[in-house]
Amino acid sequence: MRLADAVVLDLTGVTDKAALMDRCAVTLALPAWFGRNWDALADCLTDLPEPATVVVTGWQEYARTRPHEWRTAQDVFATAVDERPTRLCVLLSLGEGLVGSDEPPAARLG
């Protein structure tokens, strides 16, 4: 898994669970059966067809407005990484920008 091939999960503007689930469904191309709940997200993350590196950006507003939900989201991502460490890597961008040539520092979950 290479950072250059990462999928950017941009959570800018996401302020609730429904919006987070919608953003995950679209960005990660989750299957039609994705139920937009924490268990379904966990299942989808551990069943991704290809190894993936996901860089989560723009998460700060969601973390401020829904801290309990954000902790749950982090737990779901970390558990999926723990279950499939050679297939999934999730990084949190600590800056405001998107990943690119001048990418901000990132923190690894899991």
Side-chain angles (χ1 to χ4, degrees), residues 17-18 20-22 24-26 28-49 72-73 75-77 79-80 83 88:
K17 179 182 170 186
L20 171 71
M21 295 297 169
D22 288 345
C24 287
V26 171
L28 302 174
L30 300 181
W33 57 261
F34 172 54
R36 287 175 166 69
N37 61 61
W38 298 120
D39 290 336
L41 180 59
D43 289 344
C44 288
L45 289 171
T46 57
D47 289 339
L48 290 173
T72 301
D75 289 344
V76 168
F77 288 130
T79 299
E83 288 183 22
L88 179 64

Side-chain angles (χ1 to χ4, degrees), residues 11 13-22 24 36-39 41 56 59-78 92 109:
L11 300 184
V14 169
T15 57
D16 63 21
K17 179 182 170 186
L20 171 71
M21 295 297 169
D22 288 345
C24 287
R36 287 175 166 69
N37 61 61
W38 298 120
D39 290 336
L41 180 59
V56 183
W59 54 270
Q60 293 88 343
E61 182 179 5
Y62 183 54
R64 276 191 303 275
T65 59
R66 303 287 181 129
H68 179 73
E69 286 179 15
W70 177 240
R71 281 190 297 278
T72 301
Q74 289 180 87
D75 289 344
V76 168
F77 288 130
L92 293 181
L109 287 181

